[in-house]
Amino acid sequence: MPEGHTLARIAGALDAAFAGNEVHVSSPQGRFAAGAELLDGGVVREARSHGKQLFVEVEPPGSPEPRVLHVHLGLIGTFTIDEVAFVGEKPVVGQVRCRIEGEGHVADLRGPMVCAVITPEEEASIRDRLGPDPLREESGERGWERVTRSRKEVAALLMDQSVVAGIGNVYRCEVLFRHRVDPATPGRALARETWEAIWADLRRLMPLGVVTGRIVTREDQVEVVEGAMAKGETPHLTERTSYVYRRTGEPCRVCGTPVSMRDLAGRKLYWCTVCQTGT
Ligand SMILES: [Zn+2]
Protein backbone atom coordinates (compact mmCIF):
# COMPACT_ATOMS: atom_id res chain seq x y z
CA MET A 1 0.00 0.00 0.00
CA PRO A 2 1.34 3.48 -0.80
CA GLU A 3 2.61 5.20 2.35
CA GLY A 4 2.40 8.92 3.14
CA HIS A 5 5.46 9.94 1.12
CA THR A 6 3.79 8.65 -2.07
CA LEU A 7 0.66 10.72 -1.42
CA ALA A 8 2.80 13.79 -0.69
CA ARG A 9 4.58 13.27 -4.01
CA ILE A 10 1.29 12.94 -5.87
CA ALA A 11 -0.13 16.04 -4.15
CA GLY A 12 3.00 18.00 -5.09
CA ALA A 13 2.83 16.84 -8.70
CA LEU A 14 -0.91 17.60 -9.01
CA ASP A 15 -0.38 21.01 -7.46
CA ALA A 16 2.52 21.82 -9.81
CA ALA A 17 0.53 20.63 -12.83
CA PHE A 18 -2.87 22.17 -12.15
CA ALA A 19 -2.97 24.79 -9.36
CA GLY A 20 -4.53 27.97 -10.73
CA ASN A 21 -5.62 26.24 -13.94
CA GLU A 22 -9.05 25.55 -15.28
CA VAL A 23 -9.39 21.81 -15.70
CA HIS A 24 -11.50 19.32 -17.56
CA VAL A 25 -12.52 16.52 -15.19
CA SER A 26 -14.06 13.30 -16.49
CA SER A 27 -14.58 9.66 -15.61
CA PRO A 28 -13.61 7.64 -18.70
CA GLN A 29 -14.63 4.44 -16.88
CA GLY A 30 -17.96 6.00 -15.87
CA ARG A 31 -18.05 5.12 -12.17
CA PHE A 32 -17.23 8.68 -11.12
CA ALA A 33 -19.27 10.42 -13.81
CA ALA A 34 -21.57 12.36 -11.44
CA GLY A 35 -18.65 13.54 -9.28
CA ALA A 36 -16.55 14.54 -12.27
CA GLU A 37 -19.42 16.64 -13.57
CA LEU A 38 -19.42 18.69 -10.34
CA LEU A 39 -15.74 19.58 -10.83
CA ASP A 40 -15.53 19.84 -14.62
CA GLY A 41 -14.56 23.30 -15.83
CA GLY A 42 -13.47 24.37 -12.36
CA VAL A 43 -10.21 25.97 -11.27
CA VAL A 44 -7.85 23.92 -9.10
CA ARG A 45 -6.88 25.84 -6.00
CA GLU A 46 -4.57 23.37 -4.29
CA ALA A 47 -3.73 19.68 -3.97
CA ARG A 48 -2.63 18.47 -0.52
CA SER A 49 -2.16 15.24 1.36
CA HIS A 50 -2.63 14.26 4.98
CA GLY A 51 -1.17 10.83 5.62
CA LYS A 52 -2.62 8.53 2.98
CA GLN A 53 -5.53 10.86 2.16
CA LEU A 54 -5.37 13.14 -0.86
CA PHE A 55 -7.47 16.28 -1.30
CA VAL A 56 -7.72 18.41 -4.45
CA GLU A 57 -9.59 21.65 -3.86
CA VAL A 58 -11.47 22.93 -6.89
CA GLU A 59 -13.51 26.07 -7.43
CA PRO A 60 -16.36 24.83 -9.60
CA PRO A 61 -17.55 26.98 -12.52
CA GLY A 62 -20.02 29.67 -11.49
CA SER A 63 -19.83 28.80 -7.79
CA PRO A 64 -17.80 30.46 -5.05
CA GLU A 65 -18.18 27.35 -2.85
CA PRO A 66 -15.11 25.15 -3.25
CA ARG A 67 -15.45 21.42 -3.71
CA VAL A 68 -12.84 18.87 -2.77
CA LEU A 69 -11.88 15.76 -4.68
CA HIS A 70 -11.08 13.20 -1.97
CA VAL A 71 -8.92 10.21 -2.93
CA HIS A 72 -7.59 7.24 -0.98
CA LEU A 73 -5.57 4.91 -3.18
CA GLY A 74 -6.11 1.85 -0.98
CA LEU A 75 -3.98 -1.17 -1.85
CA ILE A 76 -3.85 -0.99 -5.62
CA GLY A 77 -4.77 2.55 -6.63
CA THR A 78 -2.47 4.73 -8.75
CA PHE A 79 -2.54 8.40 -9.71
CA THR A 80 -0.21 9.21 -12.59
CA ILE A 81 0.52 12.72 -13.82
CA ASP A 82 1.97 13.14 -17.30
CA GLU A 83 2.99 16.06 -19.46
CA VAL A 84 1.15 16.33 -22.74
CA ALA A 85 1.51 18.72 -25.66
CA PHE A 86 -2.23 19.19 -26.14
CA VAL A 87 -5.52 18.21 -24.49
CA GLY A 88 -6.81 14.93 -25.86
CA GLU A 89 -3.34 13.74 -26.83
CA LYS A 90 -3.22 10.88 -24.36
CA PRO A 91 -5.51 7.92 -25.07
CA VAL A 92 -7.33 6.37 -22.11
CA VAL A 93 -5.67 3.12 -21.06
CA GLY A 94 -7.40 0.70 -18.68
CA GLN A 95 -9.99 1.60 -16.07
CA VAL A 96 -9.50 5.31 -15.46
CA ARG A 97 -11.87 6.34 -12.65
CA CYS A 98 -11.03 10.01 -12.87
CA ARG A 99 -9.07 12.02 -15.42
CA ILE A 100 -7.97 15.61 -14.86
CA GLU A 101 -6.80 17.52 -17.92
CA GLY A 102 -5.29 20.98 -17.94
CA GLU A 103 -2.88 23.05 -19.96
CA GLY A 104 0.03 20.69 -20.62
CA HIS A 105 -0.86 17.91 -18.17
CA VAL A 106 -3.16 14.97 -17.76
CA ALA A 107 -3.63 12.99 -14.55
CA ASP A 108 -5.25 9.55 -14.44
CA LEU A 109 -6.60 7.90 -11.29
CA ARG A 110 -7.01 4.12 -11.41
CA GLY A 111 -8.28 1.61 -8.87
CA PRO A 112 -8.73 3.90 -5.83
CA MET A 113 -10.47 2.79 -2.67
CA VAL A 114 -12.09 6.24 -2.36
CA CYS A 115 -12.82 8.80 -5.08
CA ALA A 116 -15.50 11.27 -4.07
CA VAL A 117 -16.46 14.94 -4.14
CA ILE A 118 -16.79 16.36 -0.63
CA THR A 119 -17.13 19.77 1.02
CA PRO A 120 -14.29 21.59 2.82
CA GLU A 121 -16.16 20.86 6.08
CA GLU A 122 -16.13 17.14 5.31
CA GLU A 123 -12.40 17.35 4.56
CA ALA A 124 -11.86 19.00 7.94
CA SER A 125 -13.76 16.25 9.72
CA ILE A 126 -11.74 13.53 7.95
CA ARG A 127 -8.53 15.31 8.97
CA ASP A 128 -9.70 15.71 12.57
CA ARG A 129 -9.82 11.93 12.85
CA LEU A 130 -6.26 11.51 11.57
CA GLY A 131 -3.15 11.60 13.70
CA PRO A 132 -0.29 13.99 12.97
CA ASP A 133 1.52 13.55 9.64
CA PRO A 134 5.32 13.63 10.08
CA LEU A 135 5.59 15.31 6.67
CA ARG A 136 3.38 18.19 7.75
CA GLU A 137 3.60 18.59 11.48
CA GLU A 138 6.55 19.32 13.68
CA SER A 139 5.02 17.91 16.84
CA GLY A 140 4.04 14.29 17.37
CA GLU A 141 2.35 15.15 20.65
CA ARG A 142 -1.14 14.19 19.48
CA GLY A 143 0.21 10.78 18.53
CA TRP A 144 1.97 10.39 21.87
CA GLU A 145 -1.26 11.15 23.73
CA ARG A 146 -2.87 8.13 22.06
CA VAL A 147 0.17 5.87 22.34
CA THR A 148 0.75 6.40 26.03
CA ARG A 149 -2.88 5.56 26.88
CA SER A 150 -2.97 2.32 24.88
CA ARG A 151 -2.30 -1.29 25.81
CA LYS A 152 -1.88 -2.19 22.15
CA GLU A 153 1.54 -3.12 20.79
CA VAL A 154 3.55 -0.19 19.50
CA ALA A 155 3.87 -2.05 16.17
CA ALA A 156 0.07 -1.95 15.82
CA LEU A 157 -0.22 1.65 17.04
CA LEU A 158 2.25 2.91 14.42
CA MET A 159 -0.03 1.54 11.69
CA ASP A 160 -3.12 3.20 13.20
CA GLN A 161 -3.82 6.28 11.08
CA SER A 162 -5.40 8.05 14.05
CA VAL A 163 -2.03 7.79 15.87
CA VAL A 164 0.33 8.72 13.03
CA ALA A 165 -0.98 9.52 9.57
CA GLY A 166 0.90 8.13 6.59
CA ILE A 167 2.87 5.28 8.13
CA GLY A 168 2.53 1.89 6.46
CA ASN A 169 4.20 -1.43 7.00
CA VAL A 170 7.65 -0.53 5.65
CA TYR A 171 8.21 2.61 7.72
CA ARG A 172 6.64 0.86 10.74
CA CYS A 173 9.02 -2.12 10.67
CA GLU A 174 12.09 -0.11 9.77
CA VAL A 175 11.69 2.69 12.28
CA LEU A 176 11.17 0.21 15.12
CA PHE A 177 14.41 -1.49 14.10
CA ARG A 178 16.28 1.80 13.81
CA HIS A 179 15.42 2.53 17.44
CA ARG A 180 15.86 -1.08 18.60
CA VAL A 181 12.31 -1.12 19.95
CA ASP A 182 10.61 -4.42 20.80
CA PRO A 183 7.52 -4.24 18.53
CA ALA A 184 5.39 -5.97 21.20
CA THR A 185 5.96 -3.12 23.69
CA PRO A 186 2.53 -1.89 24.85
CA GLY A 187 2.00 1.78 23.99
CA ARG A 188 1.71 2.75 27.63
CA ALA A 189 5.07 1.08 28.41
CA LEU A 190 6.89 3.01 25.68
CA ALA A 191 9.27 5.65 26.98
CA ARG A 192 8.52 9.20 25.99
CA GLU A 193 12.11 9.68 24.75
CA THR A 194 11.64 6.64 22.48
CA TRP A 195 8.47 8.13 21.00
CA GLU A 196 10.20 11.45 20.46
CA ALA A 197 13.16 9.73 18.78
CA ILE A 198 10.81 7.76 16.50
CA TRP A 199 8.88 10.91 15.60
CA ALA A 200 12.04 12.87 14.85
CA ASP A 201 13.31 9.98 12.75
CA LEU A 202 10.09 9.84 10.69
CA ARG A 203 10.43 13.60 10.17
CA ARG A 204 13.92 12.92 8.83
CA LEU A 205 13.18 9.82 6.74
CA MET A 206 9.85 10.58 5.11
CA PRO A 207 11.01 13.69 3.19
CA LEU A 208 13.70 11.48 1.62
CA GLY A 209 10.87 9.25 0.42
CA VAL A 210 9.14 12.28 -1.10
CA VAL A 211 12.32 13.28 -2.96
CA THR A 212 13.38 9.82 -4.16
CA GLY A 213 9.99 8.14 -4.46
CA ARG A 214 11.40 5.28 -2.40
CA ILE A 215 11.43 4.39 1.25
CA VAL A 216 15.02 4.93 2.37
CA THR A 217 15.76 3.68 5.88
CA ARG A 218 19.25 2.16 5.94
CA GLU A 219 21.52 4.69 7.53
CA ASP A 220 24.25 4.41 4.86
CA GLN A 221 21.65 5.11 2.17
CA VAL A 222 19.98 7.84 4.21
CA GLU A 223 23.34 9.59 4.31
CA VAL A 224 23.84 9.20 0.54
CA VAL A 225 20.46 10.81 -0.13
CA GLU A 226 20.95 13.58 2.43
CA GLY A 227 24.41 14.31 1.01
CA ALA A 228 23.07 14.57 -2.53
CA MET A 229 20.15 16.76 -1.43
CA ALA A 230 22.48 19.11 0.45
CA LYS A 231 24.42 19.61 -2.80
CA GLY A 232 21.23 20.01 -4.81
CA GLU A 233 21.94 16.80 -6.72
CA THR A 234 19.66 13.91 -7.60
CA PRO A 235 20.53 10.98 -5.34
CA HIS A 236 21.43 7.70 -7.00
CA LEU A 237 20.60 4.62 -4.99
CA THR A 238 21.77 1.36 -6.41
CA GLU A 239 20.11 -1.01 -3.94
CA ARG A 240 16.56 -1.24 -2.75
CA THR A 241 17.11 -2.67 0.70
CA SER A 242 15.83 -2.55 4.22
CA TYR A 243 17.00 -3.52 7.68
CA VAL A 244 14.22 -6.01 8.36
CA TYR A 245 11.24 -5.45 6.03
CA ARG A 246 10.70 -8.55 3.84
CA ARG A 247 13.94 -10.13 5.09
CA THR A 248 12.49 -13.12 6.97
CA GLY A 249 15.24 -15.62 7.83
CA GLU A 250 18.01 -13.44 6.38
CA PRO A 251 20.75 -12.33 8.79
CA CYS A 252 20.15 -9.12 10.74
CA ARG A 253 22.45 -6.44 9.34
CA VAL A 254 23.65 -5.61 12.85
CA CYS A 255 23.86 -8.89 14.80
CA GLY A 256 23.45 -11.65 12.20
CA THR A 257 20.40 -13.27 13.84
CA PRO A 258 17.80 -14.42 11.27
CA VAL A 259 15.09 -11.77 10.91
CA SER A 260 11.74 -12.86 12.40
CA MET A 261 8.28 -12.44 10.92
CA ARG A 262 4.81 -12.78 12.40
CA ASP A 263 1.32 -11.74 11.50
CA LEU A 264 -0.04 -8.71 13.35
CA ALA A 265 -3.57 -7.54 12.56
CA GLY A 266 -3.36 -9.03 9.07
CA ARG A 267 -0.02 -7.42 8.16
CA LYS A 268 3.41 -9.01 8.32
CA LEU A 269 5.64 -7.67 11.03
CA TYR A 270 9.41 -8.09 10.57
CA TRP A 271 11.89 -7.60 13.40
CA CYS A 272 15.13 -8.80 15.00
CA THR A 273 14.54 -10.59 18.30
CA VAL A 274 18.08 -9.86 19.51
CA CYS A 275 18.49 -6.20 18.55
CA GLN A 276 14.96 -5.08 19.29
CA THR A 277 14.48 -5.38 23.02
CA GLY A 278 14.19 -1.70 23.96
CA THR A 279 11.12 0.18 25.06
ZN1 LIG B 1 19.85 -7.96 15.13
Side-chain angles (χ1 to χ4, degrees), residues 177 180 244 251-259 271-276:
F177 180 87
R180 307 295 189 263
V244 290
C252 169
R253 298 191 192 281
V254 172
C255 75
T257 305
V259 170
W271 83 111
C272 173
T273 54
V274 173
C275 290
Q276 293 180 245

Side-chain angles (χ1 to χ4, degrees), residues 176-216:
L176 287 172
F177 180 87
R178 281 171 63 88
H179 296 275
R180 307 295 189 263
V181 176
D182 179 350
T185 307
R188 60 184 191 177
L190 193 75
R192 193 186 169 98
E193 308 87 80
T194 307
W195 174 259
E196 280 172 4
I198 287 173
W199 181 261
D201 209 21
L202 291 171
R203 295 260 308 157
R204 178 183 175 207
L205 296 176
M206 291 185 77
L208 309 183
V210 178
V211 169
T212 61
R214 296 164 47 164
I215 296 179
V216 185

Side-chain angles (χ1 to χ4, degrees), residues 105-152:
H105 291 90
V106 57
D108 283 338
L109 173 66
R110 293 181 179 83
M113 187 170 80
V114 176
C115 173
V117 178
I118 60 173
T119 65
E121 293 73 27
E122 287 167 324
E123 178 187 343
S125 93
I126 290 167
R127 294 172 71 148
D128 283 346
R129 294 195 294 272
L130 294 171
D133 178 342
L135 285 168
R136 306 174 53 91
E137 286 154 73
E138 218 165 283
S139 165
E141 193 62 24
R142 289 195 297 126
W144 168 250
E145 284 163 15
R146 285 181 181 256
V147 165
T148 196
R149 282 203 299 260
S150 178
R151 287 167 207 218
K152 286 188 191 157

Side-chain angles (χ1 to χ4, degrees), residues 9-212:
R9 266 174 84 86
I10 292 170
L14 287 171
D15 204 60
F18 300 118
N21 290 3
E22 190 178 308
V23 289
H24 175 46
V25 183
S26 60
S27 179
Q29 170 209 48
R31 281 184 61 188
F32 182 59
E37 205 174 309
L38 293 172
L39 305 175
D40 190 28
V43 173
V44 172
R45 283 186 177 173
E46 189 190 50
R48 49 191 172 249
S49 64
H50 185 143
K52 300 176 185 178
Q53 313 285 334
L54 177 70
F55 305 97
V56 184
E57 189 180 327
V58 177
E59 199 175 309
S63 162
E65 276 298 297
R67 296 282 180 156
V68 178
L69 172 65
H70 173 216
V71 172
H72 189 299
L73 293 177
L75 280 170
I76 55 159
T78 59
F79 213 152
T80 52
I81 298 106
D82 292 305
E83 279 186 53
V84 288
F86 56 91
V87 170
E89 178 194 338
K90 196 163 172 269
V92 173
V93 177
Q95 296 288 312
V96 176
R97 181 82 57 90
C98 176
R99 169 171 272 199
I100 304 174
E101 288 167 288
E103 197 67 48
H105 291 90
V106 57
D108 283 338
L109 173 66
R110 293 181 179 83
M113 187 170 80
V114 176
C115 173
V117 178
I118 60 173
T119 65
E121 293 73 27
E122 287 167 324
E123 178 187 343
S125 93
I126 290 167
R127 294 172 71 148
D128 283 346
R129 294 195 294 272
L130 294 171
D133 178 342
L135 285 168
R136 306 174 53 91
E137 286 154 73
E138 218 165 283
S139 165
E141 193 62 24
R142 289 195 297 126
W144 168 250
E145 284 163 15
R146 285 181 181 256
V147 165
T148 196
R149 282 203 299 260
S150 178
R151 287 167 207 218
K152 286 188 191 157
E153 299 179 34
V154 65
L157 290 167
L158 276 177
M159 295 278 275
D160 180 342
Q161 299 299 299
S162 70
V163 174
V164 188
I167 302 300
N169 201 9
V170 189
Y171 279 121
R172 177 268 295 263
C173 293
E174 293 288 293
V175 82
L176 287 172
F177 180 87
R178 281 171 63 88
H179 296 275
R180 307 295 189 263
V181 176
D182 179 350
T185 307
R188 60 184 191 177
L190 193 75
R192 193 186 169 98
E193 308 87 80
T194 307
W195 174 259
E196 280 172 4
I198 287 173
W199 181 261
D201 209 21
L202 291 171
R203 295 260 308 157
R204 178 183 175 207
L205 296 176
M206 291 185 77
L208 309 183
V210 178
V211 169
T212 61

